Amino acid sequence: MSVSPGQPVPDFTAQATNDTTVTLSELRGRQVVIYFYPKDHTPGCTTEGGDFRDHKADFDAANTVILGVSRDGLRAHENFKAKQGFNFELIADKDESLCRLFDVIKLKKLYGKEHLGIERSTFLIDTEGRLAREWRKVKVPGHVADVLDAARELHAQS
C-alpha cells in the first residue's frame, strides 16, 4: 500500500538524527517535505542534501519541515549530517517501512547489475497530513527549487 496525492499519509514514528523521534501526527499544522535518497556520502545525495540545507530558511518561512530518509543507520546519518552541516534531521529507515509506505524501493541497475534500491523521490505533505505533491525519479539539479516553489504555493493557500 502506498500513498497517493490528496490522501492522508498514515501516521508513522521513526528514529532520526540528533537523538530525536519523528512522529508525523506531531507535525500537524506544519507542512512536511520528506525526501528519500539512496545513500549517505554519495555525490548526488550530498548535493541534494546541501541544496535543502542552503534553502532551509526559505522552507521555514513557508512553514515547512524538511526530513531526509535513507536506509542507512543512525551512525552513518550522524556522520553525514555533521560533515555536510545539514540543519534538518535524517531518518534511518533500516527496516524500509517508510520506503514501502511511499513506494520508493525500485529495481535499479548499477554497472550492469540489478538490485533493489531507493528511487530518489520527494513528497510534500500539507498541514492536515495529506499528501499534496510527489516527485519521483528525481534529478537533483533544480529539484529543491521546484519543491520550495510548491511549498510556498501550498503555504499561500492555507
Side-chain angles (χ1 to χ4, degrees):
M1 181 204 113
S2 69
V3 187
S4 301
Q7 289 184 325
V9 176
D11 198 19
F12 63 82
T13 299
Q15 292 305 118
T17 47
N18 209 22
D19 212 16
T20 56
T21 301
V22 174
T23 301
L24 183 61
S25 59
E26 292 175 1
L27 297 173
R28 287 271 156 50
R30 299 200 60 195
Q31 297 174 171
V32 181
V33 164
I34 299 179
Y35 80 95
F36 289 83
Y37 63 96
K39 190 146 184 59
D40 291 344
H41 304 288
T42 56
C45 301
T46 299
T47 300
E48 184 179 25
D51 288 349
F52 276 112
R53 174 198 62 217
D54 296 346
H55 289 88
K56 184 173 183 303
D58 300 318
F59 281 99
D60 287 345
N63 191 34
T64 305
V65 175
I66 301 165
L67 296 169
V69 182
S70 84
R71 298 182 300 182
D72 293 298
L74 283 174
R75 181 175 292 145
H77 276 351
E78 292 288 3
N79 291 339
F80 188 40
K81 182 181 172 188
K83 185 174 181 184
Q84 300 304 326
F86 292 161
N87 45 11
F88 53 87
E89 303 310 329
L90 300 176
I91 292 174
D93 191 33
K94 288 184 83 70
D95 68 357
E96 299 180 359
S97 57
L98 279 181
C99 289
R100 284 194 301 275
L101 176 64
F102 287 93
D103 191 30
V104 298
I105 299 288
K106 303 292 180 186
L107 194 61
K108 299 169 79 175
K109 276 192 174 146
L110 185 65
Y111 306 118
K113 292 185 177 154
E114 291 187 337
H115 68 282
L116 287 174
I118 291 180
E119 178 180 83
R120 192 180 306 279
S121 307
T122 303
F123 302 87
L124 175 61
I125 300 169
D126 70 16
T127 56
E128 302 295 313
R130 286 183 307 268
L131 183 59
R133 288 278 307 273
E134 64 180 10
W135 294 262
R136 295 186 179 272
K137 297 184 181 174
V138 165
K139 301 287 182 242
V140 173
H143 174 61
V144 170
D146 292 345
V147 176
L148 180 58
D149 288 346
R152 285 175 167 154
E153 191 177 307
L154 188 62
H155 180 59
Q157 295 167 5
S158 61

